[in-house]
Amino acid sequence: MKNKKTMALISGAVGVCMLTTAAVASYQTPNGYDALKKSILGTMDYTNCTVSASMSMELDGSEIMKMNGLHELALDSNITHTSSSFALAGENPYRADVYYCGDKEYSLAQSTNPSAGDNEYYSCAYPHTKPNLWDIEPEDRETADKIIRFMELASDTIVGDLRNNFVCTDDSDDSTSYSLTLDSVQIPELVNAGLSMLFSMENSYAQRTVVYTDENGNTVTEDVDRSQDPSDGTYYTAIMGNDPILDSMMMDYTVNEDGTFRDGTISVVFTGNGHTMMFNISCNISDVGTTSIATPQEQGFKITEMSYDDYTETEEAVTEQ
């Protein structure tokens, strides 16, 4: 389904920039760097919390994409709930809503069947174990720790003296807030080199051949130019060209008194090929240790039982449209 595509490459580019700032901190506040790093890495072992996030994308001042997400985690009750929406300008939003309760999955029927009711869910047997918020299994922890350590050191190297641009804006009894503002001349060259590489790679694959089976069972071969499809991320990377630059970045971030992450916002502006692209991202973590999730049955939803194979076939059929 075309409107399920989420501009993965461009979002990845924003992720590169967020990674860069993740290691930035101010030594103007004692232990500022350690507190900031701890607030991010400390969420790795969360087993009960609520995470909400949003992202919007603008091109030349017009909003063209918006995403919202909610992830509730209550592993003490063996329940998780994830809800998300994605919309391109001028199109109806795509909505997904999934519960994992013990050995069952409950998925919003409208995600694969637009004619279904608002509170109708498909259910299938699907044992789902999630050890923590980051979904890192105990046997993978050693490897994960090594990856995280490498990313920390890489970020420190990239950031360098830019850590001095991250300042403490508020230091109250229950939280500490930081702010970062960077312009184009302060952006490390490595970041823009990475963007150029990513965009060039994506644009080089704009032309592709798709083979699929139509409703009559016939095999169809079709040449597709992704750069001409506004629902495809390549449409926007093509507009920005092969060598966009990170023009500016603004970030605000708050850490609770106990060192845990509270919330953050970031605005990132790219320029390229005579165009300006902006991302606005926000994230909030709340109800740590107190998140409680009502099951679909407790909420009175209509539930249709399906086999796992039938449910998978339904998803695949919609994805191919």
Side-chain angles (χ1 to χ4, degrees):
M1 180 179 292
K2 290 182 178 179
N3 64 357
K4 291 178 64 177
K5 299 176 181 177
T6 58
M7 294 91 160
L9 177 109
I10 304 177
S11 299
V14 177
V16 171
C17 302
M18 293 182 69
L19 170 64
T20 301
T21 60
V24 184
S26 172
Y27 285 100
Q28 297 175 18
T29 301
N31 301 316
Y33 176 76
D34 291 336
L36 211 79
K37 180 166 60 175
K38 180 181 176 181
S39 73
I40 298 172
L41 299 182
T43 64
M44 180 164 42
D45 294 317
Y46 280 2
T47 58
N48 183 289
C49 65
T50 298
V51 181
S52 59
S54 67
M55 181 174 75
S56 65
M57 172 182 168
E58 298 179 7
L59 180 64
D60 296 332
S62 298
E63 185 175 273
I64 56 176
M65 183 272 286
K66 189 170 186 177
M67 299 174 64
N68 290 289
L70 174 71
H71 184 57
E72 297 176 298
L73 197 69
L75 298 183
D76 47 345
S77 302
N78 202 15
I79 301 175
T80 65
H81 170 227
T82 302
S83 178
S84 62
S85 64
F86 169 78
L88 292 171
E91 295 188 9
N92 293 326
Y94 169 80
R95 179 183 168 215
D97 198 71
V98 180
Y99 292 82
Y100 290 103
C101 306
D103 61 354
K104 299 293 287 292
E105 173 185 328
Y106 302 88
S107 179
L108 181 69
Q110 285 184 347
S111 299
T112 53
N113 180 10
S115 64
D118 290 340
N119 293 322
E120 183 176 351
Y121 284 71
Y122 292 144
S123 174
C124 67
Y126 186 77
H128 180 75
T129 57
K130 187 179 179 76
N132 45 56
L133 180 61
W134 289 24
D135 208 11
I136 299 175
E137 299 287 350
E139 61 267 26
D140 297 326
R141 186 57 180 262
E142 182 178 355
T143 300
D145 286 342
K146 291 179 179 179
I147 295 173
I148 291 168
R149 180 56 177 162
F150 170 77
M151 298 303 287
E152 288 183 65
L153 294 175
S155 296
D156 288 343
T157 301
I158 294 172
V159 170
D161 292 337
L162 289 180
R163 67 182 69 239
N164 297 322
N165 291 68
F166 208 128
V167 298
C168 177
T169 58
D170 182 71
D171 191 8
S172 60
D173 292 338
D174 65 345
S175 65
T176 302
S177 298
Y178 302 86
S179 180
L180 170 71
T181 301
L182 299 176
D183 59 31
S184 58
V185 298
Q186 296 171 300
I187 304 300
E189 183 179 356
L190 181 61
V191 173
N192 286 326
L195 290 174
S196 180
M197 176 190 69
L198 291 172
F199 275 65
S200 295
M201 289 175 61
E202 181 67 12
N203 290 336
S204 69
Y205 290 106
Q207 308 290 331
R208 65 175 180 173
T209 300
V210 178
V211 180
Y212 63 94
T213 302
D214 65 16
E215 58 185 10
N216 297 320
N218 300 316
T219 299
V220 179
T221 301
E222 182 179 354
D223 291 327
V224 176
D225 184 353
R226 298 167 59 198
S227 67
Q228 302 301 311
D229 181 1
S231 67
D232 195 301
T234 307
Y235 176 84
Y236 299 99
T237 62
I239 288 176
M240 298 297 291
N242 291 336
D243 298 300
I245 64 169
L246 178 54
D247 188 70
S248 65
M249 178 188 299
M250 296 179 61
M251 181 179 182
D252 294 295
Y253 185 100
T254 300
V255 178
N256 291 314
E257 180 184 15
D258 61 359
T260 58
F261 179 93
R262 176 183 292 185
D263 55 50
T265 61
I266 182 170
S267 294
V268 183
V269 177
F270 300 96
T271 57
N273 228 16
H275 296 277
T276 299
M277 181 178 290
M278 173 185 286
F279 286 86
N280 294 302
I281 303 168
S282 67
C283 182
N284 175 278
I285 298 181
S286 61
D287 299 327
V288 179
T290 61
T291 294
S292 178
I293 307 170
T295 67
Q297 291 90 339
E298 292 172 337
Q299 298 180 67
F301 295 158
K302 178 183 177 181
I303 298 173
T304 302
E305 295 287 343
M306 302 179 70
S307 70
Y308 179 76
D309 289 341
D310 288 343
Y311 177 71
T312 302
E313 289 176 2
T314 301
E315 280 194 318
E316 290 176 347
V318 173
T319 302
E320 291 174 355
Q321 290 182 6

